Amino acid sequence: MYKITITERTLHFKQPAGTSRGVYTERKIWLLTVSDGFAVGTGECAPLPLLSCDDIPNYAEVLRHFCDRVEQTGEIDTEAMRDYPSMLFGLETALLNLRRGCRLFDTPFSRGEAGIPINGLVWMGSFDEMRQRIEAKLQQGFHCVKLKIGAIAFDDELSLLKSIRERFGPRDLELRVDANGAFPYDEALYKLELLSQYALHSIEQPICARRWGDMAELCRDAPLPIALDEELIGVNDPDQKRQMLNIIKPRYVVLKPSLHGGMAGVREWVEIARDMQIGSWITSALESNVGLNAIAQLCADIYGPDIRQAQGLGTGQLFTDNIDMPLEIRGERLWMQAG
């Protein structure tokens, strides 16, 4: 049988990571180490404070409970863990690592033969800070850039987008923005109309979650595609997932294993979205490289060897004290080092 140890760890950001919900300077994670007496596997549990549906006061206690059950049975009870996605993701990763080694899924990416296209992520900051960060991403060769918006003056954000579009047309550079629910509903459509003049690929979560009717109206009336992100958190039942997507009818869903049901939940979301002709992509949620590695390998397994849609996997260089993994960014692609 298995023996599972839990290690709590705090990671520190190289620079503050700003969103409309606040600024992150450090990140608490729980690392799981699973042993069967011969081999060892590692996984990461990383709930986001005030956001994850399993961000609970007794997190470590509940995690220990689920680890004890895996020790006793040798398997994960996925149904029982639907409402604990970050814990489920950590256990899924650890057991795959134990059983399969570093190649969690056998894909060209995991063999070091193909890279995954990723977007360049620009965190919120002052106007000048964001302009400098955008410039750095463009110089690195990214053809898809995602901007966090909603914290500085909206006119300044429009100016940033205008300055980019004056240099790069939509065929040369794909622009995505993520509002993290920052727009008041009564201002959202007007702001989306202003944003649409810059030929954006999409906007993530323009208004706060849990307002299905309002979001459905925006998806129907907005002049640019809307992607759901926070809206998916806590929607863990398959029937409820279909109901929500059928009501809102977004163009895309943005999936994070730590928030949206672990590996099993993300696969379920992708399958349901495909059935409803809704696009998707996968992103990390500020995990260490342990979680990022697992998410990237899952992404390659789900979408196949020829991934064209840029994924949100460029977070491996955020922390001063990250955990070494065989990942590297070359240009605008994430690669797993061969061997």
Side-chain angles (χ1 to χ4, degrees), residues 180-237:
N180 288 122
F183 296 166
Y185 174 69
D186 58 359
E187 300 175 9
L189 187 58
Y190 174 66
K191 289 187 173 183
L192 295 180
E193 289 171 349
L194 293 177
L195 288 167
S196 69
Q197 64 188 310
Y198 301 112
L200 302 184
H201 170 273
S202 58
I203 179 170
E204 292 180 36
Q205 203 68 39
I207 64 172
C208 62
R210 305 294 181 268
R211 298 176 64 174
W212 292 6
D214 292 341
M215 188 68 85
E217 288 188 12
L218 282 182
C219 287
R220 183 192 65 205
D221 299 335
L224 75 164
I226 291 176
L228 302 186
D229 180 355
E230 287 90 341
E231 200 72 62
L232 313 178
I233 297 172
V235 183
N236 300 317
D237 177 77

Side-chain angles (χ1 to χ4, degrees), residues 243-277:
Q243 180 189 26
M244 186 192 73
L245 294 182
N246 188 53
I247 291 172
I248 297 178
K249 294 181 172 59
R251 185 75 64 86
Y252 303 102
V253 290
V254 184
L255 300 166
K256 301 177 174 73
S258 291
L259 294 177
H260 302 137
M263 293 186 182
V266 165
R267 290 185 187 277
E268 192 171 77
W269 273 115
V270 170
E271 181 179 348
I272 292 171
R274 280 174 175 166
D275 288 346
M276 304 178 73
Q277 298 183 315

Side-chain angles (χ1 to χ4, degrees), residues 282-316:
I282 291 174
T283 85
S284 52
L286 305 182
E287 295 89 354
S288 78
N289 280 336
V290 173
L292 176 62
N293 171 63
I295 295 167
Q297 293 203 47
L298 173 69
C299 177
D301 190 56
I302 287 176
Y303 293 125
D306 187 24
I307 301 176
R308 299 189 179 184
Q309 180 98 285
Q311 310 294 307
L313 304 175
T315 58

Side-chain angles (χ1 to χ4, degrees), residues 2-6 32-35 64 67-68 70-71 91:
Y2 300 129
K3 175 65 176 177
I4 303 176
T5 58
I6 304 171
L32 305 182
T33 304
V34 183
S35 173
R64 182 69 261 173
C67 289
D68 289 346
V70 173
E71 286 182 341
L91 280 167

Side-chain angles (χ1 to χ4, degrees), residues 67-136:
C67 289
D68 289 346
R69 292 183 64 175
V70 173
E71 286 182 341
Q72 295 163 9
T73 65
E75 298 294 337
I76 300 170
D77 187 344
T78 302
E79 286 299 315
M81 295 190 69
R82 277 189 179 273
D83 293 333
Y84 304 90
S86 66
M87 301 183 197
L88 175 58
F89 176 59
L91 280 167
E92 288 172 319
T93 301
L95 287 183
L96 281 173
N97 187 209
L98 173 74
R99 295 165 178 172
R100 301 180 182 178
C102 64
R103 194 175 297 167
L104 307 182
F105 305 100
D106 189 16
T107 66
F109 171 76
S110 69
R111 297 193 297 269
E113 300 168 359
I116 297 175
I118 61 175
N119 61 250
L121 178 60
V122 177
W123 293 98
M124 288 180 178
S126 69
F127 180 87
D128 289 337
E129 287 172 338
M130 292 186 71
R131 184 174 57 186
Q132 291 169 6
R133 292 167 188 171
I134 291 167
E135 190 64 37

